[in-house]
Amino acid sequence: MKRSQLFTKTTKTSPNDEVSNSAKLLIRAGYVYKEMAGVYDYLPLGLRVLNNIMRVIREELNAIGSQELQLTALQNKEVWEASNRWSDEVMDVWFKTKLNAGGELGLAPTHEEPITRLMKPYISSYKDLPVYAYQFQTKFRNELRAKSGIMRTREFMMKDLYSFSKDRSEHDAFYEQCADAYMRIFHRLGIGEDTFRTFASGGAFSKFSDEFQTLCEVGEDTIYLDRDKGIAINEEVYNDATIRDLGLDKTKLEQHKAAEVGNIFTLGYRFSEALDLAYNDEDGSRKQVFMGSYGIGPSRVMGVIAEKLSDEHGLIWPTEIAPYQYYLVGIGEAAERHCAKLAEQAPEIVLWDDRPTARNGEKFADAELLGIPCRVVISDKTLADSKVEIKHRVNGQIELLTLDEFNNKLV
Ligand code: ATP
Ligand code: MG
């Protein structure tokens, strides 16, 4: 990719209507554009990061046997009335609209109801179970306060997975598999070390739900962390009884601000009863399907990563999700010609700063602001020695590679 083909530009000045560092950096670097409070567009570089985050999630979820689908955002009133969640008193984040043809519809804040109904023609026997289905879908929530840039918005990307199991024990086994997959995802995304499975309020079918909380100063939650055990308690269920139940030692718990990047819920029969999703068991009896739901917010995750993995010079993307791997700067005519060849050879991983009027210093500053993992400088001098200079964004270390060694990284 050539920098001159990117329509976005970087700026030195921070937007004055953003509080969080991640929002300031993402806007300055041209990853996102703010439409209004709590509503953002993803620009080419930002979309590449978001897509990379979704790719990592997809790979790990496919590996535990779940299937991707995509549901519509437009919601049928009757389906939500069946579970008593159409009412604004029960669900206070609805965006609703009237149909010109008559009637009302809503913009999905989540998808338990439609996916439960959708499964009715496909699940009728124990032989049809279990089913694990997920999607990446735009959710709409009329949040009272939108803050921290893309970490809490009124339109956002969610990965939502729903499990349909024969019974509690089949459900519990998948629930744990999914919790493990979540930790693998957060490690690959570069926030695994600071992300903790956290006990939070449950529902009718389980005492607790599991949140995945990432330590983060601008996070909205407060958690109490046992570092040795690697688990935490959300403030909402933090009390002596919970601490005792979980076998934790109050004096060892550290209080932290954190951001919820994902959560998993045992739903039990809540929705299968409301929408009558049942199956015939082996012994001929009719049983309700046992359900769970499992969310991750890829756009919030992107904000959390930008918040945590950045410094005074800009963003620092982990290699798995960086929009490009190499930010290429050529110094001198022969070097520029060589860069042109490399950029053409590997357009998906090389971003070549080919802007003729930009000074080298500006190019170097942009490499850092954009957070590309490696800045690669080729000058006529290094070229004469058959060398390239690589500077790693994460630790500032510089190494010299031969042209061949660098070429091998591009294939
Ligand atoms: P929160 O407690 O932060 O309001 P939630 O418990 O309502 O979130 P879920 O409904 O379970 O969250 O959504 C699944 C995931 O979607 C969350 O773990 C979070 O990562 C993300 N998410 C939820 N609300 C938003 C939002 N307004 N903007 C961006 N991401 C969100
Ligand atoms: Mg929550």
Side-chain angles (χ1 to χ4, degrees):
M1 178 70 180
K2 290 184 194 168
R3 181 65 197 269
S4 61
Q5 285 173 345
L6 256 187
F7 70 81
T8 55
K9 291 181 177 151
T10 58
T11 60
K12 285 205 182 71
T13 48
S14 290
N16 48 26
D17 58 344
E18 294 286 359
V19 182
S20 69
N21 205 31
S22 57
K24 288 179 188 162
L25 288 174
L26 290 168
I27 291 172
R28 281 185 53 208
Y31 281 77
V32 302
Y33 178 88
K34 185 177 190 170
E35 290 277 351
M36 56 185 126
V39 183
Y40 292 82
D41 301 312
Y42 287 77
L43 301 170
L45 292 172
L47 185 59
R48 287 179 77 90
V49 174
L50 189 64
N51 281 334
N52 285 337
I53 292 172
M54 295 195 288
R55 175 183 43 77
V56 168
I57 297 172
R58 180 178 285 123
E59 285 171 7
E60 295 296 338
L61 295 183
N62 289 350
I64 57 168
S66 36
Q67 299 172 65
E68 186 170 356
L69 46 56
Q70 194 167 81
L71 274 59
T72 171
L74 303 183
Q75 298 301 300
N76 177 324
K77 177 180 172 189
E78 282 72 41
V79 176
W80 289 79
E81 277 175 343
S83 63
N84 191 33
R85 290 212 293 177
W86 180 257
S87 151
D88 293 321
E89 271 90 72
V90 178
M91 186 82 108
D92 60 2
V93 293
W94 272 116
F95 280 110
K96 291 175 182 169
T97 187
K98 290 209 165 36
L99 278 173
N100 282 342
E104 257 188 305
L105 53 75
L107 297 178
T110 177
H111 276 91
E112 281 82 5
E113 282 81 352
I115 199 165
T116 306
R117 184 180 71 156
L118 179 153
M119 287 297 166
K120 283 158 71 85
Y122 308 113
I123 295 175
S124 56
S125 151
Y126 68 94
K127 291 180 196 152
D128 301 324
L129 293 167
V131 173
Y132 309 123
Y134 73 97
Q135 63 176 342
F136 291 98
Q137 224 264 4
T138 303
K139 302 289 194 258
F140 297 89
R141 292 187 184 178
N142 199 343
E143 304 272 5
L144 196 56
R145 284 188 310 151
K147 55 180 211 174
S148 306
I150 60 171
M151 292 170 67
R152 180 175 297 283
T153 53
R154 300 199 165 95
E155 176 186 344
F156 61 96
M157 182 57 74
M158 195 198 285
K159 181 287 296 172
D160 41 331
L161 187 156
Y162 303 89
S163 68
F164 301 86
S165 304
K166 287 190 274 296
D167 52 32
R168 174 105 215 193
S169 74
E170 189 172 73
H171 165 83
D172 286 348
F174 181 75
Y175 190 96
E176 286 309 314
Q177 258 190 307
C178 194
D180 292 345
Y182 270 30
M183 282 317 298
R184 285 194 292 277
I185 290 167
F186 296 126
H187 276 289
R188 286 179 63 182
L189 297 179
I191 51 173
E193 294 292 312
D194 277 349
T195 300
F196 299 94
R197 194 167 165 174
T198 303
F199 292 90
S201 55
F205 283 88
S206 58
K207 195 158 179 193
F208 299 112
S209 69
D210 286 284
E211 291 177 343
F212 290 79
Q213 293 276 1
T214 308
L215 305 186
C216 181
E217 279 311 311
V218 298
E220 293 180 32
D221 293 320
T222 299
I223 64 167
Y224 294 85
L225 169 66
D226 182 324
R227 257 190 208 277
D228 294 336
K229 295 205 165 116
I231 54 174
I233 305 178
N234 191 312
E235 162 182 67
E236 63 187 22
V237 295
Y238 177 78
N239 55 47
D240 288 338
T242 305
I243 296 168
R244 202 180 43 239
D245 276 5
L246 299 173
L248 299 175
D249 174 356
K250 190 170 185 173
T251 61
K252 282 182 60 190
L253 298 177
E254 306 165 12
Q255 186 190 328
H256 289 282
K257 293 304 283 177
E260 180 196 312
V261 287
N263 67 17
I264 60 182
F265 255 98
T266 295
L267 301 173
Y269 305 113
R270 163 89 175 85
F271 297 96
S272 54
E273 257 166 16
L275 290 140
D276 190 27
L277 179 65
Y279 69 98
N280 291 326
D281 207 354
E282 233 172 328
D283 61 11
S285 65
R286 188 129 180 97
K287 288 183 178 152
Q288 231 63 69
V289 172
F290 197 100
M291 289 174 54
S293 75
Y294 312 75
I296 294 181
S299 41
R300 179 178 295 175
V301 167
M302 180 171 158
V304 170
I305 295 171
E307 192 68 42
K308 292 179 67 76
L309 306 180
S310 53
D311 60 16
E312 68 273 26
H313 304 295
L315 300 156
I316 308 176
W317 298 115
T319 53
E320 282 249 34
I321 62 169
Y324 294 94
Q325 297 301 319
Y326 302 103
Y327 195 96
L328 202 53
V329 177
I331 304 174
E333 259 177 52
E336 290 276 32
R337 275 198 303 277
H338 191 76
C339 287
K341 267 193 286 179
L342 296 176
E344 203 162 301
Q345 183 188 330
E348 284 301 311
I349 53 175
V350 169
L351 179 59
W352 170 36
D353 197 338
D354 61 334
R355 294 172 301 169
T357 54
R359 285 173 289 109
N360 292 331
E362 283 174 63
K363 294 181 179 180
F364 294 166
D366 268 10
E368 298 205 310
L369 176 59
L370 294 184
I372 309 298
C374 295
R375 183 192 83 189
V376 181
V377 177
I378 303 179
S379 66
D380 286 353
K381 185 168 171 298
T382 65
L383 197 60
D385 293 342
S386 289
K387 293 270 166 57
V388 305
E389 180 204 274
I390 297 198
K391 184 175 181 192
H392 295 274
R393 179 69 179 95
V394 68
N395 55 17
Q397 275 175 15
I398 293 182
E399 56 175 335
L400 282 177
L401 293 187
T402 67
L403 285 177
D404 279 348
E405 283 168 333
F406 184 58
N407 256 320
N408 287 337
K409 290 182 181 289
L410 302 185
V411 289

